Amino acid sequence: VAYQGHPGAYSEHAALTLCGADARLLPRETLADAFAAVADGTARFAVVPLENTLAGTVPGTVSLLLESGCSVVAEVSEPIDHVLAGLPGAGIEGLREAHSHPVALAQCTRFFTAHPSIRPVAVWDTAGALRAVIESADPARAAVASRFAAERYGAAILAEHLQDHAANFTRFIQAGLVPAPDVTGRGPLRVMLAVRLAHRPGTLATLLLALSEAGANLTRLDSVPLPGSPFEYEFLIEGVVAAALDVDRLLATLDPGTRIRVVGCFDAPRTVDRPRGA
Amino acid sequence: VAYQGHPGAYSEHAALTLCGADARLLPRETLADAFAAVADGTARFAVVPLENTLAGTVPGTVSLLLESGCSVVAEVSEPIDHVLAGLPGAGIEGLREAHSHPVALAQCTRFFTAHPSIRPVAVWDTAGALRAVIESADPARAAVASRFAAERYGAAILAEHLQDHAANFTRFIQAGLVPAPDVTGRGPLRVMLAVRLAHRPGTLATLLLALSEAGANLTRLDSVPLPGSPFEYEFLIEGVVAAALDVDRLLATLDPGTRIRVVGCFDAPRTVDRPRGA
């Protein structure tokens, strides 16, 4: 199971939750590398972040998912609770730099406003940032990372709950090159659809109405740019269906230019996921 | 006019295009800082990236825009054409690191695959990366940045057209604390609507249908997380209307829990912006 980041990353934690403690985990530097590991058969699955409840859609994940041809087989929402971790013996008053992923830094604006002498420094991932801080042996440096990363690298926790909002979750998906998901099972099922529409006004409204009439309660919709076609998009539509969703029957009622791929279909998770009526 | 990045950033170029060569430009480190400059009156407008045709929605911009209460008064799509810039006299064969914004690095995967000895290093912005490279005087470092950044900092261009796809545009918006946009003018007008929906299935489909019947051709739709309410969203809906859009009349036909704010309304730009029928 490939994930993006270093050991101790939030993604590693999500991979263990989704695939079990026995899963053999493969850390990869970038999201593209994690999907490449699935494409070349090194990994069966990639566990990657899809959205964060403060920062929104994770850039890159949806495009990589749709390009990869992978299907989503499960998801989990993990609480994101940042600590400021540094060298054992270091103090917060001596810090000059805090390294982390740009999204993690952006979630801690209040902390950095209250501590103007600590400069945020953007790097690839939270756990990698902490590992580099520990290796540097520089007590003026710290990292914004998870509590389990701090434990993993033997770092001192200099401050906790660094994020601006306590309710901070990242939703991770488990994606692999598996047979197309079955949307005929018993619900409630969570479905993810990739949709391309004909160039005609009203096609998105008509599609959403048809989905609604088919019993789908949509939770989320995003425009995904088509590479090589500036300002053209496909849509990733997510929702919960009470029972089966007959995509062929749905397509028969829509504009013939409509293309729908079922990207994911799995039991609706038992996390804090509250579908929003749409 | 505040923008994110250092002089030579793509955002600076967009700000000059939108506000004229006479505009006094204020570089800011982060997107939040650019919006803060508008909030405290230091700047009249912020010019910020909204979406890139390869990387998708720019994380943070939409949330900051909606929180700021700013309105969008204009937009421009700028071609993004990266060069690899380093110290005068440096050669590509001696490079060990290429610094840039993570999104810029992610647009150049083919280059980095073809040059495995050059390690991508993520920093805050493209122009700032190049300035730091020049200041370091280290010929083993280069930056992925714009051609005008290379000219600005007297850097040598070691390779050009670094991005994976030639058609690479970023759409920038000009936002300010100005009176609410007028959607009663003559079209075609580009409109941006922030929408909150009642918790009821089918509300998004009904809204899009009403917009379509009111003559709006939707181009793009994004789910924007509500801070403090995990997995609840508002929607940023963009489209082109032929003439006026009567929001009050529209609301009268919709679920009473629907809230619509007109975030932007301006003449449809003359750039490569091809609306996609939705």
Side-chain angles (χ1 to χ4, degrees):
Chain A
V1 178
Y3 68 94
Q4 188 245 323
H6 288 79
Y10 289 102
S11 291
E12 183 199 41
H13 201 261
L16 291 172
T17 308
L18 285 166
C19 306
D22 296 340
R24 199 161 60 84
L25 300 186
L26 306 172
R28 288 293 181 267
E29 180 134 345
T30 65
L31 290 170
D33 295 339
F35 277 102
V38 175
D40 68 19
T42 314
R44 277 193 66 205
F45 293 106
V47 170
V48 291
L50 184 66
E51 62 164 329
N52 172 268
T53 56
L54 298 179
T57 303
V58 176
T61 296
V62 178
S63 293
L64 287 165
L65 171 66
L66 298 186
E67 280 169 27
S68 72
C70 284
S71 297
V72 178
V73 298
E75 67 169 25
V76 67
S77 294
E78 294 264 330
I80 304 295
D81 189 14
H82 297 305
V83 302
L84 186 69
L87 289 179
I92 196 168
E93 60 291 334
L95 289 181
R96 284 195 326 271
E97 292 182 358
H99 295 230
S100 198
H101 190 281
V103 170
L105 295 172
Q107 290 167 349
C108 306
T109 54
R110 288 186 200 159
F111 174 82
F112 286 109
T113 305
H115 298 84
S117 59
I118 305 178
R119 195 167 66 93
V121 177
V123 294
W124 281 107
D125 77 309
T126 56
L130 182 53
R131 195 173 77 168
V133 163
I134 298 297
E135 285 174 0
S136 77
D138 180 350
R141 288 189 196 175
V144 175
S146 68
R147 185 174 298 274
F148 33 87
E151 284 162 12
R152 165 95 59 149
Y153 295 109
I157 292 176
L158 310 176
E160 23 179 36
H161 313 310
L162 238 63
Q163 65 275 10
D164 298 341
H165 295 266
N168 184 16
F169 295 86
T170 295
R171 188 156 68 97
F172 294 88
I173 53 172
Q174 178 183 356
L177 288 170
V178 296
D182 182 11
V183 263
T184 56
R186 294 184 62 83
L189 294 170
R190 196 154 171 80
V191 290
M192 302 173 72
L193 307 174
V195 176
R196 297 198 187 192
L197 297 168
H199 281 264
R200 210 161 294 153
T203 48
L204 181 60
T206 309
L207 168 72
L208 297 193
L209 208 62
L211 280 170
S212 173
E213 282 163 4
N217 187 12
L218 304 188
T219 49
R220 204 160 164 282
L221 200 159
D222 266 309
S223 304
V224 186
L226 288 171
S229 301
F231 304 109
E232 299 199 17
Y233 308 91
E234 60 189 317
F235 296 96
L236 182 71
I237 300 177
E238 298 189 60
V240 175
V241 293
L245 183 71
D246 190 334
V247 173
D248 289 335
R249 207 163 104 181
L250 197 71
L251 278 171
T253 69
L254 295 169
D255 187 294
T258 309
R259 297 280 173 276
I260 299 181
R261 180 166 88 85
V262 180
V263 175
C265 182
F266 42 88
D267 289 341
R270 296 161 305 266
T271 49
V272 285
D273 218 23
R274 282 174 287 170
R276 178 174 175 82
Chain B
V1 179
Y3 67 95
Q4 188 244 324
H6 288 79
Y10 289 102
S11 292
E12 183 199 42
H13 201 262
L16 291 171
T17 308
L18 284 166
C19 305
D22 296 341
R24 200 161 60 84
L25 300 186
L26 307 172
R28 289 293 182 267
E29 181 133 344
T30 65
L31 290 170
D33 295 339
F35 277 102
V38 176
D40 68 19
T42 313
R44 277 193 66 204
F45 293 105
V47 170
V48 291
L50 184 65
E51 61 165 329
N52 172 267
T53 56
L54 298 179
T57 304
V58 176
T61 296
V62 178
S63 294
L64 286 165
L65 171 66
L66 298 187
E67 280 168 27
S68 72
C70 283
S71 297
V72 178
V73 298
E75 67 169 26
V76 67
S77 294
E78 296 264 330
I80 303 295
D81 189 14
H82 298 305
V83 301
L84 185 70
L87 290 179
I92 195 168
E93 58 292 334
L95 289 181
R96 284 195 326 272
E97 292 182 358
H99 295 230
S100 197
H101 190 280
V103 170
L105 296 172
Q107 290 167 350
C108 306
T109 53
R110 287 186 201 160
F111 175 82
F112 286 108
T113 305
H115 298 84
S117 60
I118 305 178
R119 194 167 67 93
V121 177
V123 295
W124 281 107
D125 76 309
T126 57
L130 182 52
R131 196 173 75 168
V133 164
I134 298 297
E135 285 174 0
S136 77
D138 180 351
R141 289 190 196 174
V144 176
S146 68
R147 187 173 298 274
F148 33 87
E151 285 164 11
R152 165 96 58 150
Y153 295 109
I157 292 176
L158 309 177
E160 29 180 29
H161 314 309
L162 237 63
Q163 64 276 8
D164 298 341
H165 295 264
N168 184 16
F169 296 86
T170 295
R171 188 156 67 97
F172 293 88
I173 53 171
Q174 178 183 354
L177 289 169
V178 297
D182 182 12
V183 263
T184 57
R186 294 184 60 82
L189 294 169
R190 196 153 172 80
V191 289
M192 301 173 72
L193 307 175
V195 176
R196 296 197 189 193
L197 296 168
H199 282 264
R200 210 160 293 152
T203 47
L204 182 60
T206 310
L207 169 73
L208 297 193
L209 207 62
L211 280 169
S212 173
E213 282 163 3
N217 187 12
L218 304 189
T219 48
R220 203 159 165 281
L221 200 159
D222 266 310
S223 304
V224 185
L226 289 171
S229 301
F231 304 109
E232 298 199 18
Y233 308 90
E234 61 188 316
F235 296 96
L236 183 72
I237 299 177
E238 298 189 60
V240 175
V241 292
L245 182 70
D246 190 334
V247 174
D248 289 336
R249 207 162 104 182
L250 197 71
L251 278 173
T253 69
L254 295 169
D255 187 293
T258 309
R259 299 279 172 276
I260 298 181
R261 180 166 89 83
V262 180
V263 175
C265 182
F266 43 89
D267 290 340
R270 296 160 305 264
T271 48
V272 285
D273 219 22
R274 282 175 288 170
R276 178 175 175 81

